[in-house]
Amino acid sequence: MSVLVLMRDAGDELSLQALAFARSLGQATGADAEPTAFTIDGPYAPASWGQTVADLVTARSPRAVIAPGTERGNEVMAHAAAILDEPLSANTTAFTPGDPPTVTRVRWGGSLLEQALLRGGTLLITVAPHAVGAAPAGVTPEVVPASHHALALAPTERVGASSGGVTLEEASVVVSGGRGVGSAEGFAVVEELAGLLGGAVGCSRAVTSAGWRPHTDQVGQTGTKVAPEIYIACGISGATQHMAGCKGAKKLLAINSDGEASIFAHADYGVIGDVHAVLPAISAEIRKVRGA
Amino acid sequence: MHVYACVKRVPMTGGRITLTDDQRAISTRHLGFTVSPHEECAVEEAVQIVEREGGSVTVLTLGPSESEEQLRDMMAIGADRALHLLTDGEEWDPQATAAAIVTAIRADAQPPDLILFGNESADAGNYQVAVRVAHALGLPCVTGVKAITIAGGRARCEQEVPGGRDVYDAPLPSVVAVKEGINLPRYPSVPGRLRAKRKPLEASSPERPAARLEMTRLELPPDSGKQVKILGRGPEAAPAVVEVLAELGVL
């Protein structure tokens, strides 16, 4: 039996991770050696794309369909699972064959893992981003025309394209403030340091809930996921909600007046002190080093 | 407009998650409970829509008897009534959850014009209950929504995508899964809490079907093994910080 892989395109990193996952699932279950990669041709319409996957399942009876655990991947596979009335394991990190097989999937934005039995006629799985290494590029996906679904909605326009400036997702430095910053005005010291480093300003959920910063600045499980070279967490305690958004950072510097704060367990570097004393000193030191 | 908002009771995890001895749940001995963040925004959005358009808000949950606390909280911020699908505390998988919600909505004498969900629950994060409910009821569905405008019997929904927002023009009734950031949920007032105690709450006990995605065990991800290097205390640490920034090449 075959394994199908829904890819965004032939070079997409997360799709290649899904392909790698599919290969190891195929080997573990004794399916045909090489999974069949495919893309869907046609404007994006979630229910239609879900119907496309469902039609492929009906026509080819694969053992499994694998997709990347992106917003779109999860959305399309949810539609396919609903149409087929099959279970779906979203954001999966591992697969263990068996009858039924066991999947490992992420909970709490990655702060917890779940093992679950997946009782599907066809195994529908999305792969958590960066849970497995990517397969080498070079596969040529089959192009499948989108099916029709009576309830399908498609986007009518795109609005609010970003207006330049460093975005949180792309910034190589993120300076983020938490409850310890104290107020909306208190973010001036955070903005100053971010500006000096050409970085973006982030914040914790406590800050957006207090109305100090807009939600677009929030880093966390329900905010933006960031992956900078260094993440500077200022006055942030290190709740699981927040760490789910910044665990992609290469290095983490925590500045907190509470030396026992759980953020230090996730940090590479730490400074124990009040952000309003430490951040201006760092900014002044940068100016001094640069001779300005 | 009759707007449904579906919510889930989840623990407030704080800084560190510990598991029960049988590894089937988070140890909640020292934790409070809340509604998943996206879902709290779904309730706030429902209340705001009804404040503008008129109508009523029904908040629905599937969960143990303790979930009444979350239903009362949501009625305190403006939901008019609550439906409680009682469980014995065992976890329901997404298909079973969706089926129970569909049965409850179909049984409602006043069918909803709009059914709101959170995009994914804070704990299980299965990303599918809203979509399953939509298909079962034969309704269109939009997910990942950061803005809703109701006009002319339609819901204009803005879905967050990389580089902007895609606009979906959904006919009513529809199912819409929202994300935190669509609004800033209000805090319950004292009069709101008092009113919530007297608002109608209907409970029923649906039968749990066999799970097809059956959680067997939870585990903590492997420790990052990180050992923090303390660069100093207070402003005196600044030169050491700048040295690290220079080493990382971000200066």
Side-chain angles (χ1 to χ4, degrees):
Chain A
M1 288 208 284
S2 62
V3 176
L4 301 180
V5 187
L6 172 59
M7 297 184 73
R8 196 187 75 185
D9 58 63
D12 177 51
E13 171 81 10
L14 298 180
S15 299
L16 290 167
Q17 292 174 9
L19 177 60
F21 187 99
R23 279 186 181 145
S24 61
L25 183 147
Q27 281 157 11
T29 55
D32 295 348
E34 182 60 19
T36 304
F38 70 101
T39 58
I40 297 174
D41 185 34
Y44 185 64
S48 294
W49 284 38
Q51 184 68 52
T52 314
V53 173
D55 288 346
L56 281 178
V57 167
T58 307
R60 302 188 192 180
S61 307
R63 178 74 188 110
V65 184
I66 315 296
T70 55
E71 300 283 344
R72 278 196 176 181
N74 284 328
E75 184 176 42
V76 170
M77 293 294 276
H79 280 279
I83 292 165
L84 293 164
D85 196 22
E86 289 280 5
L88 163 67
S89 171
N91 291 320
T92 312
T93 61
F95 175 87
T96 312
D99 187 22
T102 297
V103 287
T104 307
R105 52 179 305 277
V106 305
R107 288 195 165 213
W108 292 99
S111 305
L112 196 58
L113 295 172
E114 161 189 5
Q115 294 205 356
L117 299 170
L118 181 57
R119 294 193 176 91
T122 296
L123 305 175
L124 303 179
I125 294 172
T126 71
V127 182
H130 309 295
V132 297
V139 65
T140 306
E142 181 181 337
V143 180
V144 178
S147 302
H148 170 75
H149 193 288
L151 298 173
L153 296 175
T156 52
E157 58 175 320
R158 165 117 2 137
V159 296
S162 83
S163 53
V166 189
T167 67
L168 266 178
E169 288 98 331
E170 295 163 357
S172 59
V173 177
V174 175
V175 187
S176 230
R179 205 190 299 268
V181 174
S183 65
E185 299 72 38
F187 267 84
V189 294
V190 177
E191 285 171 354
E192 183 189 24
L193 180 58
L196 280 170
L197 295 171
V201 172
C203 69
S204 70
R205 184 160 181 265
V207 166
T208 48
S209 297
W212 299 347
R213 302 289 297 185
H215 189 271
T216 44
D217 283 0
Q218 185 185 312
V219 172
Q221 188 182 338
T222 51
T224 304
K225 316 276 191 294
V226 300
E229 294 296 316
I230 183 161
Y231 186 80
I232 306 179
C234 312
I236 290 175
S237 65
T240 54
Q241 144 80 229
H242 189 73
M243 300 320 296
C246 65
K247 62 183 158 59
K250 293 219 177 78
K251 296 284 179 191
L252 196 154
L253 162 64
I255 302 168
N256 203 299
S257 55
D258 174 10
E260 301 296 311
S262 60
I263 188 84
F264 287 112
H266 305 279
D268 301 279
Y269 307 101
V271 174
I272 299 166
D274 182 86
V275 293
H276 290 288
V278 177
L279 291 188
I282 296 172
S283 294
E285 184 70 17
I286 290 171
R287 289 199 179 89
K288 195 174 103 189
V289 169
R290 286 175 177 168
Chain B
M1 296 249 316
H2 180 203
V3 185
Y4 261 74
C6 300
V7 304
K8 183 176 185 184
R9 169 185 167 94
V10 296
M12 287 190 265
T13 51
R16 207 168 139 258
I17 291 177
T18 23
L19 298 177
T20 54
D21 289 340
D22 67 1
Q23 283 195 293
R24 289 179 53 83
I26 290 178
S27 170
T28 54
R29 213 174 311 155
H30 307 293
L31 299 180
F33 286 82
T34 184
V35 164
S36 286
H38 294 318
E39 294 150 19
E40 193 179 347
C41 292
V43 176
E44 174 66 34
E45 195 65 20
V47 171
Q48 289 186 16
I49 287 170
V50 164
E51 282 171 350
R52 283 193 304 268
E53 308 288 325
S56 66
V57 176
T58 299
V59 60
L60 177 153
T61 198
L62 176 117
S65 56
E66 294 83 358
S67 314
E68 183 178 337
E69 178 192 352
Q70 278 63 49
L71 291 174
R72 296 284 175 203
D73 284 351
M74 295 302 102
M75 288 194 284
I77 65 168
D80 298 287
R81 66 165 187 146
L83 294 184
H84 192 171
L85 310 181
L86 273 164
T87 70
D88 57 5
E90 278 297 304
E91 193 165 274
W92 287 44
D93 79 352
Q95 278 171 287
T97 303
I101 293 171
V102 166
T103 303
I105 291 177
R106 280 204 181 120
D108 197 324
Q110 190 196 358
D113 301 291
L114 182 63
I115 306 169
L116 298 181
F117 285 86
N119 198 57
E120 81 279 0
S121 62
D123 58 349
N126 286 305
Y127 289 82
Q128 54 190 273
V129 172
V131 176
R132 289 185 187 276
V133 168
H135 278 275
L137 293 173
L139 301 177
C141 183
V142 189
T143 71
V145 169
K146 282 286 192 84
I148 301 176
T149 316
I150 305 287
R154 304 184 76 84
R156 181 185 188 275
C157 300
E158 295 182 15
Q159 179 189 55
E160 190 176 51
V161 294
R165 289 178 176 192
D166 279 347
V167 178
Y168 289 79
D169 179 31
L172 296 179
S174 272
V175 174
V176 178
V178 307
K179 280 188 167 181
E180 190 180 69
I182 188 171
N183 54 45
L184 190 56
R186 68 196 76 182
Y187 287 106
S189 63
V190 173
R193 286 205 179 279
L194 293 173
R195 273 196 300 275
K197 285 186 185 168
R198 295 190 297 271
K199 286 181 178 176
L201 187 153
E202 295 165 42
S204 60
S205 299
E207 193 108 338
R208 180 164 64 99
R212 298 184 65 194
L213 179 68
E214 183 186 351
M215 187 268 284
T216 53
R217 203 163 67 89
L218 300 174
E219 58 191 51
L220 294 167
D223 199 307
S224 68
K226 274 190 182 175
Q227 195 64 47
V228 62
K229 184 178 175 194
I230 298 295
L231 301 173
R233 287 175 177 269
E236 287 74 33
V241 169
V242 173
E243 210 169 293
V244 164
L245 296 176
E247 275 170 31
L248 295 175
V250 296
L251 206 55

